[in-house]
Amino acid sequence: MADMNLISVEVAYALPDKQKIVAVLVEPGTTAMQAVIRSNITNDFPEINLETDKMGIFGQNLGTKGLLPAREHVLQSGDRVEIYRPLTADPKEVRRRRAEKAKAEAGKAR
């Protein structure tokens, strides 16, 4: 029989070609980091670095904008902890290149 005091949360990780969402039952008061560890998601994705990879709840980065870091953020029933991969390209550099390309193409069209 399931313990009625447990809450249900999810832990998610995605690569370009593979993703996984793990449902986990945890005790009230469980932090995001504890749920990630309990999910054993690192067995499927050994490249996850729990010390350096950023985490969030429904797209909101933990440790920013008033949210506590993953080791301190207490989960609510229904929360989904997302583990974010490191960026492969600097977003500012990508935007700069895109703007240069658009400017060059606009100059050709004249």
Side-chain angles (χ1 to χ4, degrees):
M1 183 161 127
D3 186 338
M4 299 305 272
N5 294 323
L6 298 179
I7 61 171
S8 178
V9 298
E10 294 178 333
V11 175
Y13 185 73
L15 296 173
D17 59 339
K18 179 181 176 185
Q19 72 174 11
K20 185 162 191 170
I21 299 175
V22 180
V24 186
L25 291 174
V26 297
E27 297 82 14
T30 297
T31 66
M33 180 66 76
Q34 289 169 329
V36 168
I37 292 167
R38 176 116 12 111
S39 76
N40 292 318
I41 201 161
T42 56
N43 291 345
D44 293 313
F45 300 98
E47 67 273 15
I48 293 173
N49 183 329
L50 297 180
E51 297 302 316
T52 60
D53 289 351
K54 295 183 188 226
M55 296 181 200
I57 305 291
F58 294 115
Q60 299 296 314
N61 283 347
L62 293 174
T64 64
K65 299 180 185 173
L67 294 174
L68 293 172
R71 291 190 182 281
E72 300 172 32
H73 182 86
V74 175
L75 298 174
Q76 302 297 314
S77 182
D79 279 352
R80 181 181 64 224
V81 181
E82 300 158 340
I83 305 165
Y84 304 127
R85 291 180 286 125
L87 295 175
T88 56
D90 177 11
K92 289 180 184 178
E93 180 66 19
V94 170
R95 284 192 296 271
R96 184 186 65 73
R97 287 184 192 155
R98 190 179 308 132
E100 287 177 357
K101 182 179 177 186
K103 185 176 179 181
E105 290 176 358
K108 291 179 187 176
R110 292 184 181 172

